[in-house]
Amino acid sequence: MRVMVIIKANKESEAGVMPDEQFLGEMMKYNEGLVKAGVMLAGEGLHPSSKAKRVLFSRGLTPIVLDGPFAETKELIAGFWLWRVKSKEEAIAWLKRCPSPADAPDGVMEIRQVFEAEDFGAEFTPELREQEERLRAQIEKETKS
């Protein structure tokens, strides 16, 4: 199963405060462990919402673009990992090992299962599955070049 680990933003990440060298080293070591175990598929930190845009959609209306920053930091994302694990329990076990700087504010990370083709049932026809497989192959090819 694939899961996305969502790293929630806090006041410091929204202010653009960057981690120190020691913490970056600890995170690199942690990420290396994830990669060596075959767990980590992707992972990135995100710029603060002051550099972001939101696009609001409403049926029949033209989408509206809003400039950041956005007020509710508890609803914002500071980064993510995409992992392949055997279970949510395995994901929790990995996440509990994640380093945290000693002076870090309280933090929250969320684990969400990624939909797989079989989750969509009969509505995801063989033709749609084939189309998705082609797209995934194209993405893989594009990211390697």
Side-chain angles (χ1 to χ4, degrees):
M1 79 186 306
R2 291 178 301 151
V3 297
M4 177 172 273
V5 178
I6 300 166
I7 304 160
K8 298 289 190 153
N10 57 39
K11 290 178 185 175
E12 286 75 11
S13 65
E14 275 298 290
V17 175
M18 299 302 286
D20 63 24
E21 182 180 349
Q22 179 181 346
F23 180 67
L24 288 172
E26 291 171 6
M27 285 304 296
M28 287 302 263
K29 184 176 180 182
Y30 178 70
N31 285 337
E32 283 177 355
L34 291 166
V35 170
K36 285 179 182 176
V39 170
M40 186 170 161
L41 302 174
E44 304 292 339
L46 302 173
H47 282 267
S49 71
S50 61
K51 298 180 179 183
K53 304 279 187 188
R54 277 191 181 163
V55 181
L56 306 178
F57 294 87
S58 184
R59 292 179 191 254
L61 299 176
T62 302
I64 298 169
V65 179
L66 300 176
D67 294 326
F70 306 116
E72 288 294 322
T73 58
K74 67 181 180 180
E75 299 299 325
L76 300 176
I77 299 171
F80 69 92
W81 282 289
L82 185 59
W83 292 349
R84 184 179 314 281
V85 292
K86 293 177 182 70
S87 65
K88 284 186 185 169
E89 291 74 25
E90 181 185 0
I92 291 166
W94 274 106
L95 197 50
K96 284 181 173 182
R97 294 168 44 192
C98 182
S100 179
D103 61 345
D106 292 342
V108 175
M109 294 192 202
E110 183 176 320
I111 299 170
R112 304 268 305 268
Q113 187 171 346
V114 175
F115 278 108
E116 302 294 349
E118 57 272 7
D119 295 327
F120 292 101
E123 290 81 3
F124 200 53
T125 64
E127 295 80 18
L128 291 173
R129 288 174 189 258
E130 191 176 304
Q131 183 179 8
E132 182 196 27
E133 289 172 14
R134 280 194 312 271
L135 288 172
R136 288 187 185 275
Q138 184 178 353
I139 290 167
E140 185 69 24
K141 181 180 173 185
E142 295 287 330
T143 57
K144 288 184 177 180
S145 50

